[in-house]
Amino acid sequence: MRRFYADLHIHVGCARGRAVKITASRQLTVYKILYEDAPLKGLDIVGIVDVGSPLVSCEIEGLLAGGLLREVRGGGFMAANGVLLVAGCEIETCEGIHIIIYLPDIMSIHRLQHYLLSRVTNLQLSTQAARVSTLDLINLNVLVGGIICPAHVFTPHKGIYGCWTRCWKDVLGKQAAQIKVLELGLSADTDMADCIAETRQLTFLSNSDAHSSGNVGREYNLLRMAGKNFEELRLCLYKSAGRNVVANFGMDPRLGKYHRTYCRHCRRIAAEEAPVRACPVCGGNAVVMGVFDRVAEIRDSEQPIHPLGRPPYHYRVPLKDLPGVGPRTLERLHKAFPSEMYVLEQAPLERIAIVGGPTVANMICAMRKGRLRIKAGGGGYYGKVVKGDSHY
Ligand SMILES: [Zn+2]
Ligand SMILES: [Zn+2]
């Protein structure tokens, strides 16, 4: 068995010279993700979730024709530099939630596009509101041989728990059992999710949902698999045949932009005991519910109950978001070490101190120990790392 770093939720901004996802950077192309961003960050597997757009599948077919990608036995697409591309499609259902379907090959991509064609207004644009229900997507996923994964499940913005239901079985019935994987989202972690009983048997993914190069790999997963291909990924996410997720790495949930409830009127992020449903200052309910508050509202236990074999969740902050790491320090760190993940996980602190200075080394030391001081985010505003005084 081998271990691979994977970020399975990355958006393409532009394909075939045209916009794919309006909110994503136009610089973010399939080629750039595979050949620049993944190696810089240290990712072995990347999931690109816009292949519902024919612009993106054409781009992939162009890279296949040019020898920059090849289809792999077992599914998936291998870049010449060894990075595996997993094709995925993030779809907004008629319930207003985001679901990702990962697909094994070009044929399944075309079948999914064909299905969506009559159900979205503009197929070229990604994450379009589709005239399909979540149950329809569960069935479609079986037909195309995909892996289905509700995205950022707790966010008030398009998350299945955040804005639709407090119990999957209530709305999906028996079909809920078809879902074996969920994505935690930036504002949640394993401890929060394991307070909910019905997801305890599920695999948790921590992905970046990157809309720009800088955010690729801000969350990632360490996977144990025998090789890099789609079927191995399926075994891994379904915890079969000795494959599994070994660890999740992600932002401290307080850094997420929907962590606590936010009052639009007072422009204030709540710090009171969760769940906060209305603004404690003005009493109004023009609030954006926080993920932490939502979990407190729907949880089955106050403390997390981890199932046997639940991987650890390690808090990580992208280098660019650490106080004291400006563009020049970032460049020096990237030049001196093989990848950003190496700096975050393994690089000796003494070497980091030589390259980036003692303040940066102290920050990374505190991060590895989970001791960074953090101001919580909410209402679309990210949380922040506050300068502390820990020493390595
Ligand atoms: Zn989404
Ligand atoms: Zn997304």
Side-chain angles (χ1 to χ4, degrees), residues 9-11 21 49-50 90 98 100 126-127 151-152 183 208-211:
H9 188 156
I10 300 170
H11 285 284
K21 181 143 178 105
V49 298
D50 309 301
E90 187 178 32
H98 284 183
I100 302 172
S126 177
T127 337
H152 41 76
E183 183 186 83
S208 69
D209 201 350
H211 289 53

Side-chain angles (χ1 to χ4, degrees), residues 13 24 51 57 75 79 196 203 210 219 232 262 272 276 300 354 366:
V51 305
S57 57
I196 292 172
T203 297
E219 300 214 339
E232 280 291 327
Y262 174 82
E272 290 75 12
V276 173
D300 301 291
I354 292 167

Side-chain angles (χ1 to χ4, degrees), residues 33-219:
I33 292 167
L34 288 169
Y35 283 94
E36 292 175 30
D37 300 328
L40 185 76
K41 303 285 169 167
L43 290 166
D44 306 295
I45 303 173
V46 290
I48 291 180
V49 298
D50 309 301
V51 305
S53 164
L55 294 171
V56 177
S57 57
C58 278
E59 188 93 22
I60 290 174
E61 284 166 303
L63 293 172
L64 286 168
L68 288 166
L69 268 183
R70 65 182 168 83
E71 289 204 78
V72 189
R73 256 182 84 174
F77 307 90
M78 189 70 77
N81 63 357
V83 174
L84 182 78
L85 161 62
V86 176
C89 180
E90 187 178 32
I91 300 162
E92 186 172 324
T93 70
C94 59
E95 296 91 1
I97 63 158
H98 284 183
I99 302 268
I100 302 172
I101 293 182
Y102 296 106
L103 298 156
D105 49 29
I106 286 287
M107 202 166 75
S108 56
I109 294 173
H110 286 159
R111 288 179 74 189
L112 181 114
Q113 288 174 352
H114 184 75
Y115 178 87
L116 286 179
L117 188 59
S118 60
R119 294 170 171 92
V120 297
T121 308
N122 183 352
L123 193 62
Q124 312 236 320
L125 294 176
S126 177
T127 337
Q128 288 266 295
R131 292 178 287 277
V132 287
S133 68
T134 303
L135 277 171
D136 291 335
L137 285 188
I138 290 174
N139 292 328
L140 175 70
N141 180 60
V142 175
L143 286 174
V144 295
I147 302 170
I148 192 163
C149 172
H152 41 76
V153 294
F154 299 111
T155 54
H157 205 71
K158 320 288 183 193
I160 183 166
Y161 282 120
C163 69
W164 187 23
T165 182
R166 60 190 305 147
C167 173
W168 295 6
K169 288 212 180 83
D170 286 353
V171 289
L172 299 173
K174 273 193 189 148
Q175 292 291 76
Q178 295 274 356
I179 301 175
K180 296 181 168 54
V181 189
L182 66 76
E183 183 186 83
L184 293 167
L186 301 180
S187 303
D189 63 5
T190 297
D191 277 349
M192 288 164 65
D194 269 338
C195 291
I196 292 172
E198 68 172 350
T199 60
R200 244 166 239 147
Q201 298 316 312
L202 270 65
T203 297
F204 296 164
L205 283 176
S206 38
N207 296 321
S208 69
D209 201 350
H211 289 53
S212 62
S213 280
N215 285 334
V216 170
R218 65 180 160 178
E219 300 214 339

